[in-house]
């Protein structure tokens, strides 16, 4: 199963909205077939592994990281009939598929066909691998990570708004790998107006090399202030952009953006700004299973207060800014009582070059 999980992880960033899945066929103590789901719409891991095994699969064991699918409402044929036809005698499954169209049905069909089925081998690792898919299936919203580069005293920009670069090259390179592995990256209009970022996932900056797969670039812009020459609006053939704006935004500006190939979502307001809970639900409907928030302090605070994030990732640089007027990671109003603080769990700390990466899960997850 460890090998199957490693195979599954090779599909990171490419299989969404499908899960990452790996499969291994063992016969008489020998691995005779292995495969992984590499992209949405492509063959499933079980199909590849069993095809590779051929007749050697008969009487063998199939190890698979997720319950084999049994439904027809998808682009590829169901895997259960193929598993039954292959002649394997035993199927070891890491976890049940949370998709209501599959959940337990694939296992039941395999058992009815006379196969021995075991569930739960390396289940914790399998769930961790597909945490975004599981969250999306259970809530209809993307698994959300708030990512920030900050000083040791929690500042993300100087009083004058300067933030490039607080973290070192190693941390920035890892952040680009993170971008390449998620479905979408989101910022507020303030970040666009201040920093003019491209929001692409890059393998290197010198020379500039884009990652093979680019996340959807999302800008929350309630009043459509974005300049038409903004970097995030360029090169739509390489990385697509979506603007989330609020009702009452300029129809003329919407038409100009649409003609540039930009998708514009007009959403209801929550207070004076775009309703982020509505946006998250809409993104889930669009098949966005994982979302990276790289915004400024205000949008970070709105995401946090709205209980929309499941993880916090802070790259902490060994420098201090100090001052009350330097920007902190989270803006807005601070609670008056400690009991209203947001609790974190599963804290992890690791060095990244000269910086430290601190990760924690939010208690809402």
């Amino acid at each position: 199963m460890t090998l199957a999980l490693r195979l599954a992880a090779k599909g990171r960033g490419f299989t969404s909205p499908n899960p990452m899945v790996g499969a291994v066929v063992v016969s008489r103590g020998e691995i005779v077939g292995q495969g992984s789901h590499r992209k949405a719409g492509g063959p499933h891991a079980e199909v590849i592994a069993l095809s590779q095994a051929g007749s050697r699969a008969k009487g063998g064991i199939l190890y698979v990281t997720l319950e084999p699918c049994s439904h027809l409402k998808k682009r590829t044929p169901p895997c259960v009939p193929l598993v039954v036809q292959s002649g394997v005698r035993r199927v070891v499954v890491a976890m049940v598929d949370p998709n209501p169209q599959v959940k337990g049905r694939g296992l039941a069909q395999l058992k009815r066909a006379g196969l021995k089925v075991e569930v739960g081998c390396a289940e914790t690792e399998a769930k961790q691998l597909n945490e975004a898919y599981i969250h999306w299936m259970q809530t209809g919203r993307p698994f959300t990570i708030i990512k920030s580069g900050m000083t040791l005293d929690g500042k993300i920009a100087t009083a004058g708004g300067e933030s490039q670069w607080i973290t070192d090259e190693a941390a920035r390179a890892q952040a680009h790998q993170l971008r390449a592995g998620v479905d979408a990256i989101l910022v507020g209009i303030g970040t666009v107006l201040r920093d003019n970022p491209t929001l692409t996932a890059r393998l290197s900056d010198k020379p500039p090399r884009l990652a093979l797969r680019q996340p959807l670039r999302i800008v929350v812009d309630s009043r459509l202030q974005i300049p038409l020459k903004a970097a995030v609006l360029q090169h739509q053939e390489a990385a697509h952009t979506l603007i989330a704006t609020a009702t009452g935004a300029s129809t003329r500006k919407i038409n100009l953006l649409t003609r540039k190939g930009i998708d514009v979502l007009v959403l209801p307001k929550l207070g004076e700004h775009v309703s982020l809970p509505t946006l998250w639900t809409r993104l889930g409907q669009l098949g966005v299973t994982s979302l990276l928030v790289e915004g400024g302090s205000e949008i970070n605070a709105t995401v946090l207060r709205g209980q929309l994030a499941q993880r916090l990732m802070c790259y902490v640089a060994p420098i201090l800014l100090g001052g009350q007027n330097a920007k902190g990671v989270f803006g807005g109003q601070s609670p008056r009582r400690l009991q209203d603080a947001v609790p974190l769990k599963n804290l992890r700390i690791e060095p990244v070059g000269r910086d430290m990466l601190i990760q924690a899960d939010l208690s809402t997850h």
Side-chain angles (χ1 to χ4, degrees), residues 65 73 100 184 203 240 249 304 343:
T65 59
K73 294 181 180 180
L203 300 174
H240 194 59
L304 186 69

Side-chain angles (χ1 to χ4, degrees), residues 143-278:
F143 183 93
T144 301
I145 301 168
I146 298 176
K147 194 234 52 166
S148 189
M150 56 186 274
T151 64
L152 189 58
D153 55 341
K155 308 299 185 182
I156 62 172
T158 66
E162 184 182 355
S163 61
Q164 298 177 340
W165 296 104
I166 287 175
T167 54
D168 208 0
E169 289 184 6
R172 298 200 299 273
Q174 191 179 94
H176 278 286
Q177 293 176 356
L178 180 61
R179 284 183 178 184
V182 298
D183 292 343
I185 176 172
L186 180 144
V187 298
I189 185 59
T191 297
V192 173
L193 295 176
R194 183 180 62 249
D195 299 333
N196 195 28
T198 61
L199 299 183
T200 51
R202 298 184 292 279
L203 300 174
S204 68
D205 285 319
K206 298 178 182 179
R209 283 196 304 137
L210 293 179
L212 184 60
R213 177 186 174 277
Q214 292 295 315
L216 173 67
R217 303 179 291 183
I218 303 170
V219 179
V220 181
D221 184 3
S222 300
R223 293 179 291 170
L224 283 188
Q225 297 172 273
I226 191 165
L228 293 178
K229 292 185 178 180
V232 74
L233 300 183
Q234 313 311 314
H235 309 297
Q236 293 300 299
E237 68 285 352
H240 194 59
T241 302
L242 181 149
I243 308 291
T245 193
T247 50
S250 166
T251 302
R252 178 178 175 276
K253 189 73 172 281
I254 291 174
N255 291 335
L256 288 172
L257 290 165
T258 303
R259 282 201 288 270
K260 284 179 65 72
I262 314 297
D263 286 331
V264 180
L265 278 181
V266 181
L267 300 167
K269 288 182 179 180
L270 187 60
E272 295 300 314
H273 303 285
V274 168
S275 168
L276 294 191
T278 304

